[in-house]
Amino acid sequence: MEPGGCDAGPTVKAVAAVLPAGGSGERLGGATPKQFCTVQGRPLVSYTVRAVERVSWISDIIVVVSPENIETMKSIIEKYGHKRVTVTEGGITRHRSIFNGLKLFSENKFSNHLLQKPEVVVIHDAVRPFVEEDILLKVVMAAKEHGAAGAIRPLVSTVIASAADGCLDHSLERTKYRASEMPQAFLFDIIYQAYQQCTDYDLDYGTECLHLALKYCKTNAKLVEGTADLWKVTYKRDLYAAESIIKDSLSQQICIITDVKEAVVQVGFLLHESLRSQIKVETISISLSKRDNHLQNIFSGQCYNFVCINDKKYATEEIQQLVDMLEESNIPLLHPVVLISVHLNTSENASFSIDLEELTKMKKFAREVKRKNILVYGLLIQYKDYFPLQETVNSAAALTMALIKDRNPELTGQLVVA
Ligand SMILES: Nc1ccn([C@@H]2O[C@H](COP(=O)(O)OP(=O)(O)OP(=O)(O)O)[C@@H](O)[C@H]2O)c(=O)n1
Ligand SMILES: O=P(O)(O)OC[C@@H](O)[C@@H](O)[C@@H](O)CO
């Protein structure tokens, strides 16, 4: 499929992507190369692959990993259902890895199946997970026209040159320079010929593909302003930032499910009103005993947070119903889903009790479904209490937001009280 529906610029016959993922992540530290470090339980590289495979007009995705990580990468592809992905062996430097990836399209001794040589190839570091279709389309269209293109960002720090004595020699005028980021895109023949002509010095010490296109193919890449999210995970702080961004993206929407009893519906409505200023809320009242198409639709959407309110002391069946539907939806495959089981205590007597056996059952159930990437938490709301109901519901809303934002697997099976 040619790049989707843009109204400007030429169409491109075939586009492929090469994701270099063969590094050791020394600057991040630790035994695991950063591309395989998990974020929300999933390897970082899987987020980048997912971001690129969502772009339907990219026909083939080549992930280049070190020899010892080939099987790891193949298991990631299988576990997360990645499509159109081929794994190949990297080299001792990033340029050598990228070159190996490109060879799959030209010299098929590396591949036991024929990959269509693309007209344009995207090169994107596998540790830059937040790449969107828009910037990919821009660099591809620009590469079609100019032969090469790359995303750039403003410099955050001034660039200086040091003299032999280690003192300042001069500084560059920051406004005249930009940081070279990714994605980059090239007419395949240009970047492939550039790599074929490369000296070993370039391959071993170079860091810039755009430079190779200029040096060896006299091609001045078009520079495309990129977004702030194109940054590369390099240091530990970058991994924390990636985790925070991904958690934030999972906390944008919630679905409140109630049964049809009046008190439960009322609390569901009050909770909806208390949450709606912080998060997109959908509330449905159904009898969970039957499959509801509306609920099915929500499960097939992009909602990763569910609150199930009922007045039963321990609603195993209802929660199990939701777990089964979630599992069928495949949502928990890619992202942990938060499922908050709210018990509304409507009993008249204030001395409400949940015995240890019930709490233990809840913890056991939560532990079982955690293996399915579903995080179950308990939340108790006292319907009749010395606090006005609205105050109790506001407290329940705050606890709900905290659980959704934190998505802490260690707190699953616990019961919090609004
Ligand atoms: N021999 C190499 C070295 C790097 N890369 C990839 O190139 C991208 C950007 O490189 P960089 O951030 O430098 O990764 P590392 O080399 O792993 O990091 P470090 O320099 O800290 O070891 C990463 O996805 C990395 O896996 C690669 O495919 N092959
Ligand atoms: O691998 P390093 O972190 O040394 O450098 C990689 C970067 O140079 C590269 O990803 C962009 O600058 C675009 O070329």
Side-chain angles (χ1 to χ4, degrees):
M1 178 180 170
E2 291 167 348
C6 70
D7 50 12
T11 57
V12 175
K13 292 186 186 60
V15 180
V18 172
L19 309 183
S24 56
E26 283 169 28
R27 285 170 285 181
L28 184 123
T32 306
K34 58 190 177 185
Q35 59 273 29
F36 299 115
C37 287
T38 57
V39 176
Q40 284 290 287
R42 190 165 131 224
L44 181 67
V45 64
S46 176
Y47 289 91
T48 312
V49 171
R50 177 91 184 120
V52 176
E53 75 179 330
R54 267 203 306 260
V55 179
S56 58
W57 44 263
I58 293 182
S59 53
D60 287 291
I61 301 166
I62 312 298
V63 183
V64 191
V65 299
S66 58
E68 67 271 19
N69 288 318
I70 293 270
E71 290 313 311
T72 300
M73 191 63 226
K74 286 181 177 175
S75 62
I76 290 169
I77 290 165
E78 186 182 354
K79 177 175 182 181
Y80 296 102
H82 293 308
K83 306 287 184 240
R84 315 196 307 275
V85 182
T86 302
V87 183
T88 195
E89 207 171 289
I92 56 169
T93 64
R94 177 169 167 271
H95 272 329
R96 290 184 185 278
S97 291
I98 292 168
F99 191 14
N100 282 0
L102 295 172
K103 284 174 185 172
L104 281 191
F105 296 107
S106 194
E107 299 154 22
N108 286 301
K109 64 185 179 200
F110 286 87
S111 145
N112 55 11
H113 63 280
L114 198 58
L115 284 175
Q116 180 194 10
K117 188 178 100 171
E119 183 182 4
V120 172
V121 62
V122 169
I123 300 175
H124 184 69
D125 294 329
V127 290
R128 296 175 187 264
F130 307 114
V131 60
E132 301 286 341
E133 179 171 1
D134 179 55
I135 187 66
L136 287 163
L137 182 59
K138 282 178 182 169
V139 294
V140 165
M141 288 306 185
K144 166 73 181 181
E145 196 174 337
H146 298 270
I152 57 171
R153 288 287 301 161
L155 286 175
V156 174
S157 303
T158 302
V159 177
I160 58 173
S162 63
D165 61 359
C167 294
L168 175 67
D169 180 77
H170 66 278
S171 73
L172 297 180
E173 192 182 330
R174 198 162 74 186
T175 55
K176 290 182 179 175
Y177 294 86
R178 289 287 183 276
S180 172
E181 304 294 348
M182 291 217 145
Q184 296 177 348
F186 304 82
L187 287 176
F188 180 84
D189 293 338
I190 284 184
I191 191 65
Y192 194 68
Q193 286 162 22
Y195 270 109
Q196 284 178 310
Q197 297 170 57
C198 255
T199 62
D200 280 341
Y201 185 85
D202 279 322
L203 289 174
D204 290 337
Y205 298 101
T207 60
E208 184 47 76
C209 305
L210 303 181
H211 169 70
L212 301 181
L214 178 58
K215 179 174 178 182
Y216 293 104
C217 297
K218 308 287 178 275
T219 300
N220 291 70
K222 180 71 177 171
L223 304 179
V224 179
E225 288 293 339
T227 61
D229 278 353
L230 289 175
W231 47 272
K232 179 163 66 73
V233 172
T234 303
Y235 299 101
K236 192 85 173 174
R237 66 168 187 255
D238 299 319
L239 210 52
Y240 296 146
E243 177 102 28
S244 174
I245 287 172
I246 288 166
K247 275 185 176 180
D248 190 54
S249 70
L250 298 178
S251 312
Q252 299 303 309
Q253 186 179 341
I254 187 170
C255 174
I256 299 175
I257 304 162
T258 72
D259 64 21
V260 292
K261 290 175 189 158
E262 187 183 342
V264 175
V265 171
Q266 180 199 8
V267 168
F269 172 76
L270 291 174
L271 189 60
H272 181 125
E273 291 306 297
S274 185
L275 284 168
R276 64 202 296 260
S277 61
Q278 305 172 72
I279 189 172
K280 184 182 169 204
V281 191
E282 174 126 23
T283 300
I284 52 177
S285 296
I286 55 167
S287 159
L288 269 171
S289 57
K290 65 180 191 322
R291 288 299 166 104
D292 179 88
N293 291 333
H294 186 188
L295 192 57
Q296 293 285 51
N297 294 337
I298 288 170
F299 283 148
S300 59
Q302 296 298 310
C303 185
Y304 304 101
N305 309 294
F306 298 88
V307 171
C308 180
I309 307 177
N310 51 61
D311 60 358
K312 284 186 180 176
K313 220 178 206 183
Y314 187 61
T316 321
E317 288 134 50
E318 285 79 0
I319 299 299
Q320 187 60 60
Q321 287 271 6
L322 290 176
V323 167
D324 295 343
M325 290 160 105
L326 276 166
E327 267 205 286
E328 287 163 20
S329 73
N330 270 330
I331 294 178
L333 178 69
L334 292 176
H335 299 294
V337 174
V338 167
L339 178 45
I340 301 174
S341 172
V342 175
H343 170 67
L344 180 62
N345 172 35
T346 54
S347 64
E348 290 300 327
N349 60 337
S351 62
F352 170 82
S353 70
I354 288 189
D355 60 37
L356 201 55
E357 188 193 342
E358 280 155 347
L359 288 173
T360 307
K361 265 193 337 186
M362 179 169 161
K363 277 186 71 174
K364 184 171 176 293
F365 175 76
R367 194 178 303 126
E368 281 161 14
V369 295
K370 187 160 76 172
R371 285 196 285 270
K372 299 170 182 174
N373 216 14
I374 298 171
L375 308 175
V376 174
Y377 306 97
L379 172 57
L380 174 64
I381 296 179
Q382 300 277 58
Y383 187 66
K384 299 212 181 317
D385 206 343
Y386 19 79
F387 293 116
L389 181 58
Q390 186 58 58
E391 268 185 49
T392 304
V393 168
N394 290 344
S395 165
L399 289 166
T400 297
M401 286 309 297
L403 291 169
I404 285 173
K405 286 183 180 292
D406 185 38
R407 312 184 91 80
N408 190 327
E410 302 312 318
L411 293 179
T412 54
Q414 298 301 313
L415 177 70
V416 291
V417 182

